[in-house]
Amino acid sequence: MEIIHFLLGANCDKDSLFRTPSLIEHSFRGTFQIGGESFTVERAGKEPAKVFLIDENVHFDLPTKTDKGSGRAYVSNTNWRIYLGHAMFGMPANVVGTVFDEPGTPTFRALFSYFARRWLSGAFSYPERQAEQQQRGDWQVNLSYLLGLDWQIPYQFQKVRERERTLEELKKAARGGAFGNVLGTVAELRPQVTIAETRADKLRAQLSSFEVLDSYRDLSRRAARLKSDMQAVGRESISLSETLEHLERAVDTERPPDHADLKKLYEATGIELPGVALRRFEEVNRFYDSVVVNRRAHLSREIAQTRQGMKENEDQLAALDRERAEILKTLEGRGALEDFITLQRDLATVEASAAALRERFKAAEVLEGESAQLDIDRAHLKRRLQEDHQLRAPVLEKAILLIADAISELYDDRTGQFIVEATENGPEFKISIEGDRGGGISKVEIFCLDLALLQIARDNFGGPRFLIHDSHLFDGVDARQIASALSLGARGAGQDMQYIVTLNSDIFDSLPLSGEIDRDQVVLSTRLSDKAETGGIFGFRFD
């Protein structure tokens, strides 16, 4: 199986069987009949990019080169695969510039792998997949091509899935915070954009009317000192007002003592202090009158001085207020250069934020619009797929009948059918055999599909005209079904095709085969055995 794939263009990376030390110096040859011509090719693990053409009498439509060491003609493995795709499956002889030059379109290697399934690739798990890791888009496109359906519809489905994955990754990253605040919904971002743009407009308006004043800082400090001075003058005026009120009350209460009281006091003094010479009462009375007059004069002077101080304070306060008002008027709409620069910097920051929000808003609109568009595209593609299945009903009917006939040949007590469904995720291909899934039924489904593809590919494109099954296909399959499958394969291949099975001879000999299979004609004449240490293949034993 690996040799056939190797000779028919399989990749040969560093882990390939043909790059192992035991085989890398060896070449492998194979003779194939393709397009009505028989030819032999050779390939080695040492130079896997070169496919040598052994039969020089056969002219191929290939860009050949000459090997400098041996002088033999060879073709690059890439061009070899292009040629095989053209000869076996009707693909363009030159894919450059065609739709087949795009990734995700039908390729020879993907198509051929249905006709030589490999166990190591996990090809025996699902009928529609020729490898365990084959992606949905790949098997949908290639099976559609083999069956004769419009393969470009599932190709477009794959494009939709890729867009959906990208969209989902972006949404997941937004939900998980991987992008910080880069993403958001349209509803969340709309108010943020509005607020940011409004703030930017206000800052632009302030800048447009802003005037730089060189003495701004001095005037600002002077205005602050004036305000402090005015507060100090105000406090002093309050103190003077309280002093004035006190002095005025003192003037009102300042008067000479009553004459009767004075006389009584005077007489008492004479009694209390006998022998002391006392002034005459009139002199005492005049003395008291002079004291009161002097006291009133003093208070009047104090009141006049206080009122003068209050007037001076009022004048000073008015002057300070006028000066401060003039300074504030000068500062109005103006500022220092550093304030202007700060304002410019603030505007730049706000404008950048507003621009980023606008871009996020547009991106959110695109993402939400893309999500809606993907739903529309998917529904449209499903409708196209339904129409294509209706238009190509004969193609589907042919595959359905081939598979149904194969199932009826293999089982007397079971029926089955091939179902091709147009879904919103592209075409679904399913073989359903009634009954439980035991007894290797899933493997039989693969056999039935592959045998149908062999005949359909021959009729549609010419095809490889051979089908190869590894013995792993029949693991778990009842011996009667294996025998029936071999007989059906022999009949289905007919005279112009081959059905090849890599089956151990002891298992083959135990099968209840009908007389239509001649053991001597179908079994390799050279036996490979691992019973003794000398047994093996290519001169060494495999682990």
Side-chain angles (χ1 to χ4, degrees), residues 208-493:
S208 64
S209 60
F210 192 95
E211 295 181 21
V212 176
L213 185 63
D214 293 337
S215 58
Y216 178 84
R217 292 302 176 198
D218 293 336
L219 290 174
S220 296
R221 287 192 288 268
R222 174 60 179 161
R225 286 197 300 271
L226 288 172
K227 182 178 180 181
S228 178
D229 292 344
M230 290 172 66
Q231 292 173 343
V233 172
R235 289 192 294 271
E236 185 179 352
S237 296
I238 293 173
S239 177
L240 290 173
S241 178
E242 292 174 350
T243 300
L244 178 62
E245 183 179 355
H246 173 72
L247 291 173
E248 288 178 341
R249 282 200 304 270
V251 168
D252 291 339
T253 58
E254 193 68 33
R255 59 182 182 276
D258 187 75
H259 283 233
D261 294 337
L262 182 59
K263 185 177 181 180
K264 183 178 181 181
L265 175 61
Y266 186 82
E267 290 174 350
T269 301
I271 295 172
E272 295 288 338
L273 301 172
V276 178
L278 297 176
R279 292 182 181 271
R280 295 175 56 192
F281 175 76
E282 290 79 7
E283 290 177 353
V284 173
N285 190 35
R286 285 195 301 270
F287 170 75
Y288 272 102
D289 287 339
S290 66
V291 169
V292 171
V293 171
N294 290 336
R295 176 64 176 165
R296 282 181 174 274
H298 173 73
L299 291 175
S300 295
R301 287 194 301 271
E302 289 291 326
I303 289 173
Q305 290 176 357
T306 300
R307 286 177 175 171
Q308 180 62 30
M310 291 177 63
K311 184 178 184 307
E312 290 175 354
N313 280 358
E314 289 176 0
D315 293 342
Q316 183 181 5
L317 191 61
L320 291 173
D321 186 55
R322 284 193 301 271
E323 183 179 358
R324 184 171 179 274
E326 290 176 359
I327 291 174
L328 293 178
K329 186 177 181 180
T330 301
L331 295 176
E332 184 179 1
R334 298 173 177 84
L337 178 59
E338 58 194 80
D339 293 335
F340 182 76
I341 294 174
T342 299
L343 192 58
Q344 282 184 318
R345 185 168 55 247
D346 291 344
L347 176 60
T349 301
V350 173
E351 284 183 330
S353 176
L357 285 169
R358 280 194 297 271
E359 291 303 315
R360 287 171 55 194
F361 182 75
K362 292 177 182 178
E365 285 186 319
V366 169
L367 288 179
E368 293 185 12
E370 176 71 1
S371 181
Q373 185 62 47
L374 285 170
D375 292 338
I376 295 172
D377 291 347
R378 189 179 284 278
H380 176 65
L381 286 173
K382 180 183 178 182
R383 180 58 184 164
R384 282 183 57 194
L385 193 60
Q386 292 171 332
E387 293 173 350
D388 180 64
H389 289 179
Q390 293 172 1
L391 180 65
R392 302 174 195 261
V395 171
L396 291 175
E397 290 169 2
K398 180 179 180 179
I400 290 170
L401 291 176
L402 284 172
I403 292 173
D405 290 344
I407 294 172
S408 64
E409 287 277 347
L410 296 174
Y411 295 100
D412 295 330
D413 56 345
R414 300 174 188 266
T415 60
Q417 56 187 341
F418 180 46
I419 301 171
V420 180
E421 183 182 3
T423 74
E424 292 184 351
N425 204 20
E428 294 288 341
F429 304 97
K430 180 181 179 182
I431 297 177
S432 175
I433 299 177
E434 68 177 3
D436 59 61
R437 307 307 296 165
I441 287 182
S442 61
K443 304 292 182 63
V444 173
E445 293 173 349
I446 294 174
F447 170 83
C448 293
L449 175 63
D450 291 354
L451 192 63
L453 291 177
L454 176 66
Q455 299 179 53
I456 292 172
R458 177 196 60 185
D459 296 342
N460 290 348
F461 319 107
R465 293 180 181 267
F466 62 85
L467 174 64
I468 307 176
H469 278 152
D470 186 274
S471 59
H472 288 288
L473 176 66
F474 299 109
D475 288 346
V477 179
D478 186 83
R480 291 172 298 175
Q481 272 70 53
I482 297 176
S484 297
L486 296 180
S487 298
L488 183 58
R491 292 197 309 272

Side-chain angles (χ1 to χ4, degrees), residues 2-236:
E2 294 299 328
I3 293 172
I4 291 172
H5 274 279
F6 180 62
L7 291 174
L8 295 181
N11 291 332
C12 185
D13 54 30
K14 63 180 181 179
D15 296 326
S16 170
L17 170 69
F18 304 96
R19 300 285 290 275
T20 60
S22 300
L23 295 180
I24 193 168
E25 296 293 337
H26 292 271
S27 298
F28 294 84
R29 291 187 181 183
T31 301
F32 301 89
Q33 187 171 343
I34 299 175
E37 293 188 272
S38 179
F39 57 92
T40 302
V41 295
E42 180 181 297
R43 191 180 181 199
K46 187 176 183 179
E47 293 182 300
K50 297 178 180 180
V51 178
F52 290 93
L53 307 176
I54 303 304
D55 189 351
E56 297 181 0
N57 295 322
V58 179
H59 299 285
F60 301 100
D61 185 17
L62 287 169
T64 59
K65 298 181 180 180
T66 301
D67 182 61
K68 294 180 180 179
S70 64
R72 296 187 299 168
Y74 73 90
V75 64
S76 71
N77 191 53
T78 298
N79 287 328
W80 175 234
R81 288 190 294 199
I82 293 174
Y83 169 76
L84 293 175
H86 172 66
M88 291 186 184
F89 300 113
M91 301 171 71
N94 184 2
V95 299
V96 177
T98 71
V99 67
F100 291 90
D101 199 23
E102 298 294 327
T105 58
T107 64
F108 166 73
R109 290 298 309 158
L111 296 172
F112 175 73
S113 293
Y114 283 100
F115 300 88
R117 293 178 184 253
R118 290 182 287 186
W119 178 73
L120 291 177
S121 298
F124 301 122
S125 299
Y126 307 94
E128 70 276 12
R129 302 185 199 174
Q130 35 80 351
E132 178 71 27
Q133 300 302 319
Q134 188 180 15
Q135 298 299 308
R136 173 180 292 272
D138 191 73
W139 60 256
Q140 286 183 339
V141 166
N142 287 284
L143 267 184
S144 295
Y145 184 88
L146 286 174
L147 291 170
L149 302 172
D150 186 352
W151 61 268
Q152 295 199 46
I153 298 176
Y155 175 70
Q156 293 300 323
F157 265 110
Q158 180 59 22
K159 294 292 186 181
V160 169
R161 282 190 289 269
E162 290 172 359
R163 288 160 54 197
E164 286 176 334
R165 280 196 294 269
T166 300
L167 183 63
E168 185 58 33
E169 287 300 319
L170 288 172
K171 290 181 178 179
K172 187 185 298 183
R175 291 193 296 268
F179 290 157
N181 294 322
V182 173
L183 297 176
T185 66
V186 170
E188 292 171 344
L189 290 171
R190 192 186 304 277
Q192 296 181 43
V193 171
T194 302
I195 293 170
E197 289 183 339
T198 301
R199 186 182 176 195
D201 290 340
K202 289 181 178 179
L203 286 173
R204 276 191 291 270
Q206 291 180 28
L207 270 174
S208 64
S209 60
F210 192 95
E211 295 181 21
V212 176
L213 185 63
D214 293 337
S215 58
Y216 178 84
R217 292 302 176 198
D218 293 336
L219 290 174
S220 296
R221 287 192 288 268
R222 174 60 179 161
R225 286 197 300 271
L226 288 172
K227 182 178 180 181
S228 178
D229 292 344
M230 290 172 66
Q231 292 173 343
V233 172
R235 289 192 294 271
E236 185 179 352

